[in-house]
């Protein structure tokens, strides 16, 4: 199961058999399907798509395949090269393009890559649109352009700078206060494009930047998911350089986590909580996060007089509910900040700027800031799936077993207990069942996760 076709795109490992991995043929097939879908939707004379990539070793190869496929369909391409997911999202409307493709497998290890697909607003496609592209890909019903109607490729490497300018121009980003604070920050760019974008942003804000793994060569120095166990080098660097805090992003820079001045994690879940606290203190309103995110966002939102609601997991689901509820800030507990005044996409650059504005405003340390928020502890574990396992049947069994508790089944099974919760769901991006828990202590959260791993394993083996 190393090729995952879902409504959110296609993701797989490089090399291997066609149809089982993300081979050149699979990349061309799905880029073709996207291009055909785009032309069916827009029905106009000229088409344009923005294409960018993170720094994965396979990125240049996959990008060339994708871009040349699109021009073969008669679609013009704007090649933004090494970029970030939010930068491509910002570039699409700036270019008045019809869509965008980002070549990145987010937090997955270096052998993975993926095609993330955007609409003309620079937002991810919804379930219906994604399903249609999968249908086109399977049908092979594709009509390519003749030799006189081929598209062309234009390079534009300015978009990270343009993205930074947009962030600095946001009303709530207090550039003067940040400059006056004279922060010193260590940045772990996991040798991808965050190593380009985040230091550039910080330097524009007058921050003293210490770079750690900021060479965009795609050789990830540690597991690229920004979790505590992967960040021992960042912790050591923060303490060594007497920094105010540390920043880490994932390879495509839509997830953001902080480390305090003592080299301890601020808590990936609390990235959104802190940014929301700052935004709500100036512009009160509603918030949204997904079902696997901390209850602390609800608490902070209600403190500021707003309403909180949880969506199904997945950025497109969060954005849909954000628009419905007219929220001022939302996102995902994995460090994904979605700030509508910027754009409807997870954006670590926006998150950094809002967090720095909050710190400068409060004039306290990162560890002191963390103590101002409700204290919840999360467990994030997973069970590797084996071929033929009836995941839906397993989840239904768990739903029946806990039918007397507060249940939500819009996305897997979430069971709310009085002092804790557990969320069981099949991942859209990896062959795993994710088990998220939250409780009043780390021991309780981990124990709850272990309990459900045992129960699911027993059901699977029965």
């Amino acid at each position: 199961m190393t090729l995952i076709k879902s409504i959110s795109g296609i993701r797989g490992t490089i090399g291997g058999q066609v149809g089982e991995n993300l081979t050149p043929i699979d990349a061309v097939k799905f880029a073709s399907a996207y291009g055909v879908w785009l032309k069916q939707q827009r029905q106009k004379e000229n088409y344009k798509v923005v294409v960018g990539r993170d720094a994965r070793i396979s990125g240049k190869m996959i990008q060339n395949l994708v871009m040349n496929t699109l021009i073969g369909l008669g679609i013009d391409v704007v090649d933004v090269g090494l970029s970030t997911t939010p930068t491509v999202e910002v570039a699409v409307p700036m270019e008045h393009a019809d869509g965008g493709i980002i070549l990145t497998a987010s937090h997955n290890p270096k052998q993975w890559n993926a095609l993330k697909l955007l609409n003309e607003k620079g937002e991810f496609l919804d379930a219906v649109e994604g399903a249609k592209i999968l249908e086109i890909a399977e049908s092979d019903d594709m009509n390519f352009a003749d030799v006189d109607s081929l598209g062309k490729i234009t390079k534009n490497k300015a978009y990270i700078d343009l993205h930074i300018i947009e962030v600095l121009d946001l009303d709530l980003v207090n550039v003067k206060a940040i400059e006056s604070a004279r922060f010193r920050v260590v940045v772990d760019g996991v040798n991808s494009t965050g190593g380009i974008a985040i230091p550039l942003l910080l330097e524009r804000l007058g921050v003293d930047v210490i770079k750690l793994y900021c060479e965009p060569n795609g050789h990830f120095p540690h597991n690229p998911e920004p979790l505590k166990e992967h960040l021992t080098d960042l912790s050591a660097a923060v303490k060594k350089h007497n920094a105010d805090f540390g920043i880490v992003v994932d390879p495509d820079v839509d997830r953001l986590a902080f480390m305090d001045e003592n080299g301890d994690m601020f808590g990936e879940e609390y990235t959104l909580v802190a940014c929301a606290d700052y935004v709500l203190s100036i512009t009160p309103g509603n918030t949204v996060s997904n079902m696997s995110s901390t209850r602390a966002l609800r608490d902070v939102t209600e403190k500021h007089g707003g309403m909180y609601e949880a969506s199904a997991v997945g950025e497109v689901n969060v954005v849909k509910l954000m628009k419905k509820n007219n929220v001022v800030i939302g996102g995902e507990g994995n460090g994904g900040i979605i700030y509508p005044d910027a754009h409807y996409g997870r954006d670590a650059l926006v998150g950094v700027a809002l967090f720095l504005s909050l710190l400068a405003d409060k004039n306290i340390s990162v560890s002191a800031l963390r103590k101002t928020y409700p204290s919840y502890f999360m467990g994030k574990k997973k069970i590797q799936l084996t071929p033929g396992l009836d995941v839906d049947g397993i989840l239904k069994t768990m739903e029946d077993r806990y039918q007397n508790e507060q249940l939500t089944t819009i996305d897997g099974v979430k069971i709310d207990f009085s002092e804790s919760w557990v969320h069981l769901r099949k991942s859209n991006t990896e062959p795993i069942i994710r088990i998220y828990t939250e409780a009043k202590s780390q021991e309780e959260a981990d124990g709850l996760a272990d309990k459900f791993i045992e129960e699911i394993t027993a059901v699977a083996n029965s």
Side-chain angles (χ1 to χ4, degrees):
M1 292 181 67
T2 49
L3 184 67
I4 301 173
K5 307 168 189 175
S6 75
I7 56 171
S8 57
I10 176 173
R11 181 180 300 230
T13 49
I14 299 299
Q17 291 290 314
V18 174
E20 296 179 7
N21 305 77
L22 185 55
T23 69
I25 290 172
D26 294 291
V28 168
K29 182 178 181 179
F30 282 88
S32 301
Y34 172 74
V36 169
W37 170 83
L38 200 76
K39 294 173 79 171
Q40 290 175 352
Q41 293 296 302
R42 306 286 282 169
Q43 295 191 358
K44 47 191 280 203
E45 191 170 332
N46 299 307
Y47 302 88
K48 184 195 293 186
V49 171
V50 177
V51 181
R53 62 184 173 92
D54 69 13
R56 287 169 190 274
I57 298 164
S58 62
K60 196 169 186 179
M61 175 191 74
I62 298 294
Q63 183 171 1
N64 283 330
L65 289 164
V66 166
M67 291 193 305
N68 283 295
T69 298
L70 293 173
I71 66 171
L73 284 161
I75 297 171
D76 292 335
V77 172
V78 179
D79 171 12
V80 298
L82 285 172
S83 192
T84 76
T85 286
T87 301
V88 176
E89 291 171 350
V90 165
V92 169
M94 279 190 177
E95 282 286 340
H96 304 289
D98 300 289
I101 300 179
I102 310 138
L103 292 319
T104 174
S106 300
H107 61 273
N108 289 58
K110 69 177 184 178
Q111 64 267 32
W112 289 80
N113 213 328
L115 280 68
K116 286 187 175 182
L117 310 176
L118 304 174
N119 63 18
E120 77 281 2
K121 297 176 183 175
E123 298 170 13
F124 287 113
L125 307 187
D126 64 24
V128 173
E129 293 164 333
K132 181 62 179 174
I133 289 169
L134 292 176
E135 182 185 314
I136 294 169
E138 294 306 314
S139 72
D140 286 335
D141 184 17
M142 305 173 193
N143 188 24
F144 288 83
D146 62 43
V147 70
D148 294 316
S149 305
L150 298 174
K152 63 181 184 297
I153 298 173
T154 305
K155 291 183 183 293
N156 189 332
K157 302 300 173 65
Y159 272 103
I160 286 179
D161 287 329
L162 293 172
H163 185 187
I164 288 170
I165 290 168
E166 289 240 314
V167 172
L168 297 176
D169 282 345
L170 291 169
D171 289 343
L172 264 58
V173 175
N174 194 336
V175 175
K176 287 185 178 178
I178 296 168
E179 288 174 343
S180 298
R182 303 184 66 82
F183 292 113
R184 171 178 286 183
V185 177
V186 181
V187 176
D188 181 348
V190 74
N191 284 343
S192 190
T193 49
I196 302 171
I198 300 298
L200 280 174
L201 171 66
L202 292 173
E203 287 160 6
R204 290 285 301 274
L205 287 164
V207 174
D208 179 14
V209 181
I210 294 110
K211 297 181 183 179
L212 178 68
Y213 306 133
C214 286
E215 184 64 35
N217 57 27
H219 292 284
F220 304 148
H222 53 75
N223 185 307
E225 190 162 12
L227 302 178
K228 176 182 178 180
E229 57 266 31
H230 306 148
L231 302 174
T232 52
D233 290 351
L234 177 61
S235 177
V238 167
K239 290 182 282 189
K240 175 185 174 183
H241 294 282
N242 196 28
D244 293 293
F245 61 98
I247 293 174
V248 61
V249 292
D250 66 339
D252 69 322
V253 204
D254 60 2
R255 288 176 63 176
L256 170 67
F258 297 107
M259 186 168 278
D260 73 17
E261 73 279 7
N262 303 312
D264 296 323
M265 291 301 292
F266 184 73
E268 189 182 34
E269 290 288 326
Y270 284 81
T271 300
L272 176 55
V273 174
C275 290
D277 183 33
Y278 174 65
V279 170
L280 293 169
S281 71
I282 302 169
T283 54
N286 302 326
T287 64
V288 162
S289 64
N290 69 38
M291 291 167 58
S292 290
S293 302
T294 180
R295 283 179 176 175
L297 180 62
R298 177 201 66 186
D299 296 348
V300 166
T301 303
E302 291 174 353
K303 179 188 79 172
H304 289 289
M307 181 191 78
Y308 165 80
E309 190 173 352
S311 77
V313 173
E315 184 171 323
V316 68
N317 298 316
V318 175
V319 167
K320 184 176 180 180
L321 190 57
M322 286 179 68
K323 290 178 177 179
K324 178 186 173 187
N325 290 1
N326 193 30
V327 311
V328 293
I329 188 169
E332 298 187 296
N334 60 10
I337 305 297
I338 304 176
Y339 185 47
D341 279 10
H343 64 112
Y344 277 104
R346 290 180 300 167
D347 192 330
L349 280 76
V350 169
V352 166
L354 293 175
F355 188 80
L356 284 167
S357 298
L358 171 65
L359 269 188
D361 177 59
K362 288 189 176 289
N363 192 27
I364 58 175
S365 68
V366 172
S367 62
L369 175 66
R370 178 64 179 79
K371 290 174 183 174
T372 66
Y373 298 124
S375 200
Y376 295 103
F377 296 84
M378 291 195 77
K380 295 184 179 182
K381 301 196 176 185
K382 53 193 176 186
I383 297 175
Q384 197 73 28
L385 297 180
T386 54
L389 198 63
D390 180 12
V391 179
D392 293 333
I394 291 170
L395 294 179
K396 184 65 173 69
T397 299
M398 300 307 291
E399 178 187 343
D400 293 342
R401 186 173 290 183
Y402 288 91
Q403 59 184 297
N404 293 327
E405 303 292 344
Q406 183 181 331
L407 292 177
T408 310
T409 57
I410 60 170
D411 182 12
V413 179
K414 185 174 183 181
I415 307 161
D416 271 289
F417 305 104
S418 59
E419 294 290 317
S420 61
W421 56 258
V422 59
H423 186 197
L424 314 170
R425 64 181 296 272
K426 184 167 57 176
S427 172
N428 292 327
T429 58
E430 297 177 77
I432 58 175
I433 294 176
R434 295 191 183 278
I435 301 170
Y436 290 163
T437 58
E438 186 171 66
K440 290 289 189 177
S441 73
Q442 193 63 57
E443 185 180 14
E444 289 177 79
D446 289 339
L448 188 60
D450 290 338
K451 172 181 180 291
F452 274 86
I453 287 174
E454 287 180 16
E455 288 193 31
I456 290 170
T457 303
V459 171
N461 293 333
S462 62

